[in-house]
Amino acid sequence: MSYAEKDLKEWPKEIHSEFEKDYFKKLQAFLEKERASGAAIFPDEKNTFCAFQKTSYKDVKVVILGQDPYHKRGQAHGLSFSVPKGVKRPPSLTNIYKELSALELRMDGSLLDWAEQGVFLLNSVLTVREAEAASHRNKGWERFTDLVLKSLNKSSQPVVYLLWGSYAQKKAFFLDNKDHLVLEAPHPSPLSAYRGFLGCGHFKKANDYLRKNGLEPIKWV
């Protein structure tokens, strides 16, 4: 069993089968070549599938979809929008906390507690080269993570999708399960947060939907 398969042991077999497909083997070869060249690749290899390790398929209540991992050293650890404990909050995460009115309550930038409650913090692309945003796009990760989202779309348990920004919102077309809720807003980046992300009320709406369906709400703060 490969390292990736161990990470995804609590996810459906249809996702595991992707590792044997040609596109994923090419992706793995690309990553091996990147590392062999001496390039720093984030997050660390052990954390590439951290989102899957921390939130099992059956426990997913909310999906927050990001684009790429943070590309500055020390920031990425495999959970979208999150940084390891002790690392300064990036601007987008600061705006997420502003929307929660939690700037003084959540001093730390780690969202691990969310993941452990069933918030699947997935990036569409799972790796990046240091200081080169989007450097690993169109290498195969998008095909893999789209399959993951399509698999979640089939879940019988209600799921709330928080799609922030046009990139994430493009995924909405195959999220058509009527038992799920899709919420869209501008990206929390400083460039767009004031165009509708701040004040969107997504965290309350997500919890209201979970309660309505008999599920424990997320403790966001």
Side-chain angles (χ1 to χ4, degrees), residues 9 40 64 83 89-90 93-95 138-139 146-147 213 217:
K9 63 182 179 181
I64 298 180
V83 292
R89 289 191 310 249
L93 184 55
T94 294
N95 284 330
N138 301 317
K139 301 297 183 183
D146 280 359
L147 185 279
N213 286 279

Side-chain angles (χ1 to χ4, degrees), residues 64-117:
I64 298 180
L65 184 64
Q67 297 182 28
D68 307 280
Y70 294 122
H71 57 82
K72 292 182 180 179
R73 187 171 294 272
Q75 289 185 321
H77 67 142
L79 302 175
S80 63
F81 294 101
S82 180
V83 292
K85 288 185 177 182
V87 175
K88 182 181 178 181
R89 289 191 310 249
S92 292
L93 184 55
T94 294
N95 284 330
I96 289 171
Y97 285 2
K98 283 182 181 179
E99 171 58 18
L100 278 167
S101 299
L103 275 177
E104 303 303 322
L105 299 174
R106 291 191 65 94
M107 302 300 293
D108 204 288
S110 173
L111 302 180
L112 181 59
D113 60 313
W114 291 5
E116 291 172 342
Q117 295 178 73

